[in-house]
Amino acid sequence: MFINEVCRVCALTKKAVEYYIEQGLVKPAVLENGYRDFSDADIDRLKQVSVLRGLGLSAADIRGVLTGQGASLSDLSRLKRMELSALEEKQQLMQELARTKDWEEVQGKLMQLQRKQSVLSRMRDAFPGYYGNFICQHFASYLDEPVQTKEQQAAFDTILGFLDNLQFEIPEDLREFYDEVTDRFDDNVCENLNANVQGMLTDPGKFEKFVEANREAIQTYLDYRQTDAYRSSKAYRLEQLLRQFNSASGYNDIFIPAMCQLSKSYQAYYTAMQRTNEQFLQQYPEWGGRGHE
């Protein structure tokens, strides 16, 4: 099939097809007379490229998706969501500026938004897939507070330095398992999980009700964690990898304390989390030595 027919079948312009060829997204055979001959596989690839391009992906992102050597569609979707969220916040600031004409106030909020995005983008780059998405959503709401003191600025700089030097890698066999398990977790799952945790921390009664309502399931889970089957599973290996990383990288000793110093709301959350954990172990001491976290 020649290029004019390809354009008709794929609903693409000749300029677009030539651009995709130039970018190496499709590589039709070149005949002796110089005409390009597109195979059925080339047509299928162009249709895929057209869809991905229509979804707003760049040529580099499309190449990575189609070759499997770049970010996955799930990862790109999460990135687009972060970009849209930042754009919505900027639009709100634009509306505020139009309404109040308070340039200094809006400038301060814009600087804070830029700080927030610099942290979230580094988190997304540092942690893969669903884990990175969950961490970004978890910390995002605590990054809205203005940086007003030298201590907060120092904490912010510490956080950026920590994330910039972070190297977190999952072995290939665990990465496949990780991707398979977390494929079902979309943004709504992350949001609901974070909201439920927040709700239980602000209302201890909700946590107690949750534990009582799910006591049997929790006990079954804790019993399973003590089995040889669990300790030889990829889930256990992944858990241990994350634990070792949090301890060795400074996540527990550098990043978390810096977040507490940067954000009063995160300090309150972290304190509530520790208090709830202590109360849980006091109320159910038989679970304390059985792998409860």
Side-chain angles (χ1 to χ4, degrees):
M1 189 178 293
F2 296 131
I3 193 167
N4 289 334
E5 182 66 10
V6 168
C7 293
R8 186 187 67 80
V9 171
C10 298
L12 294 168
T13 65
K14 184 176 180 181
K15 183 177 181 180
V17 174
E18 290 177 341
Y19 174 74
Y20 297 148
I21 294 173
E22 179 185 331
Q23 293 297 313
L25 299 176
V26 63
K27 299 177 181 179
V30 180
L31 304 178
E32 293 182 359
N33 58 11
Y35 285 93
R36 298 187 182 96
D37 184 18
F38 293 80
S39 67
D40 290 342
D42 293 329
I43 300 301
D44 290 340
R45 174 57 63 90
L46 278 172
K47 290 179 179 179
Q48 293 172 345
V49 170
S50 179
V51 170
L52 295 174
R53 189 66 168 170
L55 292 174
L57 272 62
S58 67
D61 287 337
I62 292 172
R63 185 181 302 107
V65 169
L66 295 179
T67 61
Q69 297 178 351
S72 68
L73 281 174
S74 295
D75 288 339
L76 291 171
S77 175
R78 296 182 186 111
L79 173 59
K80 291 294 182 182
R81 177 167 178 148
M82 287 180 58
E83 292 174 348
L84 286 173
S85 177
L87 181 59
E88 288 176 358
E89 292 188 65
K90 288 181 179 179
Q91 288 177 324
Q92 291 173 4
L93 289 178
M94 193 181 303
Q95 292 173 358
E96 179 179 339
L97 182 60
R99 184 179 65 258
T100 66
K101 302 297 190 293
D102 191 334
W103 293 83
E104 185 173 347
E105 177 72 14
V106 171
Q107 182 186 33
K109 292 181 178 180
L110 179 59
M111 290 179 62
Q112 184 55 35
L113 174 60
Q114 291 169 340
R115 291 190 187 97
K116 175 180 178 179
Q117 292 305 313
S118 66
V119 172
L120 294 180
S121 64
R122 284 169 169 83
M123 285 182 178
R124 181 186 56 79
D125 291 339
F127 298 100
Y130 166 80
Y131 189 44
N133 186 46
F134 177 79
I135 287 180
C136 285
Q137 290 202 26
H138 173 66
F139 286 104
S141 62
Y142 303 112
L143 296 170
D144 291 326
E145 297 177 27
V147 176
Q148 298 176 320
T149 67
K150 292 182 179 179
E151 290 76 16
Q152 284 180 303
Q153 184 61 52
F156 176 76
D157 293 339
T158 297
I159 289 169
L160 291 189
F162 170 80
L163 294 173
D164 282 338
N165 292 293
L166 202 59
Q167 293 184 341
F168 180 67
E169 296 182 0
I170 298 178
E172 189 60 32
D173 63 327
L174 287 184
R175 181 58 189 263
E176 293 177 2
F177 167 77
Y178 172 87
D179 290 339
E180 179 183 347
V181 170
T182 61
D183 231 15
R184 70 195 68 150
F185 295 110
D186 57 16
D187 293 326
N188 291 330
V189 173
C190 293
E191 290 177 356
N192 290 336
L193 180 57
N194 278 315
N196 288 336
V197 171
Q198 287 282 6
M200 286 189 286
L201 290 179
T202 55
D203 184 356
K206 287 184 178 181
F207 181 73
E208 293 176 1
K209 290 179 181 178
F210 172 82
V211 171
E212 288 303 318
N214 295 276
R215 172 179 284 273
E216 184 176 347
I218 293 173
Q219 189 67 62
T220 299
Y221 167 71
L222 293 175
D223 289 342
Y224 171 65
R225 287 175 60 87
Q226 307 308 308
T227 65
D228 291 337
Y230 175 71
R231 293 186 180 278
S232 61
S233 69
K234 289 183 178 180
Y236 177 78
R237 286 179 55 203
L238 183 60
E239 176 191 335
Q240 294 305 304
L241 178 68
L242 292 174
R243 283 180 174 278
Q244 292 168 7
F245 169 80
N246 287 347
S247 177
S249 68
Y251 180 87
N252 293 332
D253 300 327
I254 298 175
F255 175 74
I256 295 299
M259 276 297 306
C260 290
Q261 189 173 40
L262 176 68
S263 169
K264 291 181 180 179
S265 59
Y266 183 77
Q267 173 67 70
Y269 161 83
Y270 186 71
T271 300
M273 177 68 78
Q274 289 183 309
R275 182 175 61 250
T276 300
N277 189 57
E278 291 172 359
Q279 291 173 346
F280 179 85
L281 293 179
Q282 289 174 1
Q283 186 174 0
Y284 305 102
E286 72 275 16
W287 290 356
R290 304 180 67 119
H292 169 73
E293 285 112 35

